[in-house]
Amino acid sequence: MTANAPIQQTAVTSDPSLAPQHAQPGAASAWHAQRPSRSPRSVVLVLGLLLAAVFAIPQPPQLQAADPPATEKRESLRDDASLRSICFVDANQGWAVGDRGVIWYTPDGGEHWLAQDSGVGCRLDCVQFIDPQQGWAAGGWYESDTQISRGVLLQTQDGGKTWERLENELPRIRQLQFTSRRTAIAAGDWSPVHLGSVFITYDAGRSWQPVPRSESQAIRSIAMAGGAMLTLDRSGMLFRSDRPEAPADPVFSDRRMHCITATPTEQWTAGRSGAVAFSRDAGLSWRPLNRQATTVDISRYDFQCLASGGNQVWMAGVPGDKIFRKTAQNEIVAVGSGITAPIHDLHFLDDQKGWAACGMGTILHTADGGLTWQTQRGGPRRAAALFVSREARELAWSMIVSNSLEQGYRSMGVIHDRAGERLNDPLQHSADELTMQGFSDVGGCEVLAIQDDADPRAYQAAIDQALQTAQPAVVVLSDDLTAEQRTAWLRVATATPTVERVFHVQRGERGDVVVHPSAILPAAGAVVGEEWGDVLSVLSPGETDVDVMVANRLLDREASVQSIESLLHRLPIGAGGLARRLPPHGSRSQLAGLQPRTRHAEWIKHLIDACSIADDAKSLFSSRLKQLTKQIRPSDRPRFMRGLVLQCHRYGEPALYREALRETAALVPESPIGHWADLMLASIDASEEWTRLPRGLSQTASFANRGQRSSPVAYGSPFEQSSPVILASSNDEQSGRKIRETETPDLTWRQHPISLLSQVGVLGESAGPALLSGLERLSTAPSAGPWQSLARDQLAARRGALKPEAIRAPYSPHPPVLDGRLDEAFWGPIDNKVPAPQPRVAYDADYIYIAIPDGFPGNEPSEPAALRQRDADLDDVQRLSLQIDVDRDLLTTYQLEIDRSGRCRDTCNGFAQWQPMWFVKTTDHDGRWNAELAIRRKDLSSLPVAPGDVWFVRLKTLQPNEVADSPISCSPTGWQALAFE
């Protein structure tokens, strides 16, 4: 399906038993209030036509996983899309690119800017022209559910009148630098296909090769210093290579650094909190700038971009009220820009003429070397609302959707980030990048990442910077902020002249402003909950927690205003002003098409409930699902199937979950959720762990009570002589195992590490050459981080030659006494210097024994329970999670959880129907928290454990409300091979 394919809409259901009879409050009533009366005859005619349209819907075409998001249809959103890159080929012709696929062109030096059609709706991060006709633009996006980084590379041969998308398997590209008409360097995210993050082309972008390097981090910026190449990764590590194709060595590290540039004689890097360093030997050695030589305090600025012209250097960032220039004496002087929005890119033709690409679609120009700047496009736009949270998923997304997408208010977001942190997983993307994509998709303009600083003064300075940048009328504080942080924001906002109101947002039913997830946005053509869910599918795959959100005022300067209908209601912010676009206009047909979508969640609920009490549940589930999906337009089906899969998992129905995966893989095979469902289904079909889950349904009485089950009291343990521990019966039901290798034309997904590792794990000796070749490449990639280690373990397990650091499990003829003292000889010596708990394992014919020394940090005393129930509710406490993967697919695992007092829970992939027999003893011994476990072997594996067998295990500490793995994700961090001797 092409990016701009027309979307077919349907609006009714053909089977009344499948859908609830009432929509959410405010949905149907709004439509009925506008609908004119009709005669009975005309009603029959309309219904007949609608039903005919429903059953005439063709089968959906296959979705192309590598297709970028479609271009925006509303010019109001494209007009203030933030600009990320700008370039000029001469004093007249220039191009600027940015969010939502925007490309602006000027034929007259910036006096007029004209829109060019990129054909894509994703973010474009860089643009370069080598002459007035030939140019390239590049960027990309992150897929929902899989979070795969997808690259977009556009080429024009006619000055941008037409842009052609070049097919490639690149990830998102942040910087592109052509050194000739056919040779270029691209840098961006890490690619599972190329096994790197720097790429080179010798045929003008038609094909790309990886540059062999050791960096596992995404690359933020590149620069050429003579023949040498400098690359700066997202953790602030700066690498240098003598030429682009040569291996690179680290030469400088500062987690604050964000960008680099080079003049003929110097190289410069800059970043957060005014950090600046320079080199005069082609990047071999670096030294920080002397702050005393600056004429302004640069510590309050986060530099986002650098530019050079001749021997001059300019820098700018957040806030964008100043643009800085380096003098010949290495002094830094500042000039006012006339705006406050972030400045993302600077470009200079020479030492006099330059341009700046800024947030909210603004473009600035200087003709005197940066001594003065004038606005050429946009202007001093500001945010009407600033939304603040600690975690990106906790932003008030429903209110962002309503205010930005529907009402047209310009918005900014603030999240608290650990900027510069080196992420172990090269496929793990930074929170601010993911948040920016989601924020832009729902109509927002900018996202700022501030430091979660314990120093009150530093934190207040970060708040000052955010408020100065956004200039908001309203500040919206999420509930995940601490009380101290909320107080600090309120105090600083009260002293900020532009701020009229401050809100505290939380889940609930009553407040000054209430936004329901089923609320229809007729002008935007959207449903609040759907937009929110789409954002979460990128930010936090597997998250389903959309709810009613309420906002209560902490500050309102208009004391006479008693009731308000929205965050900015009764504030003097007019349409088309600095803080607001012209709001979109909807239609009655849009509203009619949106109504059924407000009921999708209810359809899913009714489907699961109906099948839970049916004798022929599997066939009923399949037939009713087919009837439902016929009434859903093809572009909405991936979203609907995602909701179905996650709800089946959330409410503890493994059999329905399995069927939902099967139907998803069949219905939307080339969508991201279809890819995931197909891989997960293949793992389940061959899973040793899933043979211990019932194949039938739970037969629970109601949807609301699903996921809960009785908790029998624990019985005495044969492994200790005192208090009882845990004892439960096992589900010994076995089933036939089916092994298959998943197929997809999407090379990026086929080469994704989790796809390779999972399939090789379940296929074993049946794994094909393509899978093994991909795994071999991954195992030798120096930049693959923990994926490389897992690939080596997977291959070593096949060959029977594990590395020395694998956990070794000796055979023990005598069982341990479960007393938590860990004094049995086969546990070996306990190293008190080990920073994290390392499990010890032993086994005999009937049990697997596991010791966890010093499992919890600190010396907090605990009181082990004498009589416990199994499957305690541990969600809101810190606990240890032990995952056991007997077939090494990383997707189907057992999970045993223990808290400090010894309460326990056992699940298989989050399903509580797994009923193993296991015993545990926790103690505080000599100031150390220890645990000893015994798990019945046949509850883990149907075959006896033999020397040479290899499992995967992972032990980690989970914080309150944290999960080891969400239903749609797999982290490689922490897994270790367990070899039985």
Side-chain angles (χ1 to χ4, degrees), residues 754-768:
I754 188 56
S755 183
L756 295 172
L757 285 159
S758 177
Q759 291 188 76
V760 170
V762 300
L763 291 169
E765 296 301 322
S766 303

Side-chain angles (χ1 to χ4, degrees), residues 621-639:
F621 184 85
S622 178
S623 64
R624 290 201 165 193
L625 181 58
K626 285 181 172 61
Q627 293 179 53
L628 277 177
T629 52
K630 285 180 181 179
Q631 302 169 65
I632 299 172
R633 63 182 184 178
S635 61
D636 287 336
R637 290 173 186 169
R639 179 192 291 135

Side-chain angles (χ1 to χ4, degrees), residues 632-793:
I632 299 172
R633 63 182 184 178
S635 61
D636 287 336
R637 290 173 186 169
R639 179 192 291 135
F640 181 85
M641 297 308 295
R642 177 196 303 128
L644 178 62
V645 167
L646 294 177
Q647 291 294 4
C648 288
H649 185 276
R650 179 181 181 185
Y651 291 102
E653 290 290 6
L656 287 186
Y657 174 73
R658 194 171 190 163
E659 290 306 309
L661 290 173
R662 198 179 311 280
E663 295 295 338
T664 301
L667 185 65
V668 288
E670 291 305 318
S671 68
I673 189 63
H675 283 167
W676 177 265
D678 192 48
L679 181 65
M680 190 70 193
L681 183 62
S683 296
I684 287 174
D685 285 346
S687 170
E688 174 73 35
E689 292 91 350
W690 270 68
T691 60
R692 278 147 190 84
L693 287 175
R695 296 187 66 84
L697 298 176
S698 302
Q699 300 296 325
T700 45
S702 70
F703 192 85
N705 294 328
R706 203 172 321 267
Q708 302 177 4
R709 63 184 177 87
S710 60
S711 299
V713 175
Y715 295 93
S717 165
F719 295 97
E720 64 170 321
Q721 303 169 356
S722 55
S723 60
V725 207
I726 296 277
L727 176 63
S729 61
S730 171
N731 181 351
D732 291 325
E733 178 185 357
Q734 300 293 319
S735 62
R737 298 174 62 191
K738 180 172 66 175
I739 300 177
R740 63 190 177 92
E741 185 170 346
T742 63
E743 292 292 340
T744 172
D746 185 352
L747 180 61
T748 302
W749 175 247
R750 288 209 312 267
Q751 293 297 314
H752 194 288
I754 188 56
S755 183
L756 295 172
L757 285 159
S758 177
Q759 291 188 76
V760 170
V762 300
L763 291 169
E765 296 301 322
S766 303
L771 282 176
L772 294 177
S773 174
L775 202 62
E776 289 281 4
R777 289 179 65 243
L778 185 64
S779 70
T780 58
S783 62
W787 294 112
Q788 181 198 48
S789 178
L790 277 173
R792 289 177 175 175
D793 285 343

Side-chain angles (χ1 to χ4, degrees), residues 142 149 171-174 187-191 196-197 199 218-219 429:
Y142 299 105
S149 175
R172 177 184 158 201
I173 299 301
R174 288 182 176 81
D189 288 341
W190 190 85
S191 166
S197 50
F199 320 94
I219 301 300
H429 311 297

Side-chain angles (χ1 to χ4, degrees), residues 373-397:
W373 290 84
Q374 294 80 37
T375 300
Q376 288 190 330
R377 188 186 183 280
R381 293 168 172 171
R382 66 187 184 96
L386 181 67
F387 296 86
V388 184
S389 74
R390 295 186 69 187
E391 299 290 338
R393 66 176 181 271
E394 296 299 330
L395 278 169
W397 287 106

Side-chain angles (χ1 to χ4, degrees), residues 256-271:
R256 298 171 297 174
M257 296 305 178
H258 189 95
C259 48
I260 53 176
T261 194
T263 73
T265 58
E266 294 180 333
Q267 299 77 47
W268 288 76
T269 180

